[in-house]
């Protein structure tokens, strides 16, 4: 009898919880962009910053998502010759897709497809490597190292979970396991 009473008492809370998850999930559908994440670094006689910008993340009602954005490296080589030879800005475009769900206040996603590509302002990625001068070859090598050395090169198959701190029609604020706060704003497309 106690168990039956407990089930009867807890059932409305369970139903409300499930309905709240569905209501919150419905708010997530659509297109969002994230506030840029900027990190500064200094090492081996150079300094700079890395800017990561998610320009569009689309959450579909069938549990799929698509993400597009850029990762920009701005280097200060502390050496004019090095700056002239290598340049100071490196842009990389990324596209991710996968699955997502919302449960108990968390946005959970799994990376299924990861595409990372050079987005160089001089379009050296479209130039045959035989036609590149020494500077172009060095830039291509640095791009290769940046892409292979990024944490994103091994994302396929990994899962991510972010606690949703705020969610309304136009703003979503999340916190990941490393306590990084990300603010998303809805974009109309």
């Amino acid at each position: 009898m106690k168990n039956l009473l407990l089930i009867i008492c807890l059932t409305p809370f369970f139903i409300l919880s499930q309905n709240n998850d569905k209501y919150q999930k419905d708010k997530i559908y659509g297109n969002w962009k994230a506030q840029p994440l900027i990190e500064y670094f200094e090492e081996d006689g150079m300094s700079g910053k890395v800017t990561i910008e998610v320009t569009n993340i689309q959450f579909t009602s069938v549990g799929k998502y698509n993400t597009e954005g850029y990762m920009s490296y701005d280097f200060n080589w502390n050496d004019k010759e090095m700056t002239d030879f290598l340049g100071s800005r490196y842009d990389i475009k990324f596209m991710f897709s996968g699955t997502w769900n919302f449960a108990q206040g968390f946005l959970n996603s799994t990376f299924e497809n990861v595409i990372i590509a050079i987005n160089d302002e001089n379009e050296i990625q479209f130039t045959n490597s035989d036609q590149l001068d020494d500077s172009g070859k060095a830039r291509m090598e640095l791009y290769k190292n940046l892409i292979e050395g990024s944490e994103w090169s091994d994302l396929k198959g990994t899962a991510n979970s972010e606690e949703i701190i705020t969610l309304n029609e136009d703003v979503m604020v999340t916190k990941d396991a490393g306590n990084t706060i990300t603010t998303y704003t809805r974009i109309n497309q």
Side-chain angles (χ1 to χ4, degrees):
M1 182 68 170
K2 283 184 180 178
N3 288 342
L4 182 58
L5 185 58
L6 185 63
I7 291 171
I8 290 171
C9 289
L10 292 179
T11 298
F13 294 109
F14 178 73
I15 291 170
L16 286 174
S17 171
Q18 294 299 317
N19 287 339
N20 188 43
D21 273 2
K22 175 156 180 22
Y23 174 71
Q24 296 294 357
K25 184 177 180 181
D26 288 347
K27 285 185 183 178
I28 296 172
Y29 299 146
N31 294 295
W32 300 83
K33 68 177 178 178
Q35 128 191 0
L37 173 66
I38 300 172
E39 295 181 15
Y40 294 90
F41 62 89
E42 190 169 333
E43 59 184 59
D44 299 331
M46 69 171 171
S47 61
K49 72 177 180 177
V50 179
T51 305
I52 301 169
E53 185 172 359
V54 173
T55 56
N56 186 14
I57 181 166
Q58 176 188 42
F59 295 101
T60 70
S61 61
V62 294
K64 299 284 188 182
Y65 75 89
N66 299 299
T67 303
E68 293 180 41
Y70 296 91
M71 186 166 37
S72 298
Y73 293 84
D74 292 299
F75 291 102
N76 180 357
W77 299 106
N78 296 328
D79 181 331
K80 183 174 174 7
E81 244 181 81
M82 187 72 100
T83 301
D84 290 345
F85 187 70
L86 288 174
S88 58
R89 184 164 180 104
Y90 289 73
D91 291 317
I92 297 171
K93 182 174 181 149
F94 58 82
M95 293 171 275
F96 308 137
S97 64
T99 59
W100 76 278
N101 67 55
F102 176 81
Q104 300 175 349
F106 285 84
L107 177 61
N108 305 299
S109 59
T110 302
F111 294 93
E112 293 179 353
N113 296 300
V114 177
I115 299 171
I116 302 172
I118 296 170
N119 191 44
D120 190 78
E121 62 188 17
N122 297 323
E123 298 186 338
I124 64 172
Q125 68 271 27
F126 301 118
T127 305
N128 184 322
S129 61
D130 294 338
Q131 296 173 338
L132 292 174
D133 61 10
D134 289 342
S135 174
K137 288 177 183 175
R139 285 182 60 80
M140 285 299 288
E141 186 64 26
L142 185 53
Y143 267 118
K144 179 182 168 192
N145 292 337
L146 291 171
I147 290 171
E148 290 176 357
S150 76
E151 59 191 39
W152 294 352
S153 61
D154 295 324
L155 280 179
K156 189 173 182 175
T158 61
N160 186 42
S161 184
E162 297 177 82
E163 179 182 5
I164 295 184
I165 299 169
T166 302
L167 178 61
N168 60 46
E169 296 300 320
D170 297 317
V171 175
M172 176 170 54
V173 180
T174 64
K175 179 172 74 170
D176 67 13
N179 291 322
T180 300
I181 305 288
T182 304
T183 302
Y184 297 90
T185 54
R186 185 174 299 280
I187 54 176
N188 297 321
Q189 285 192 339

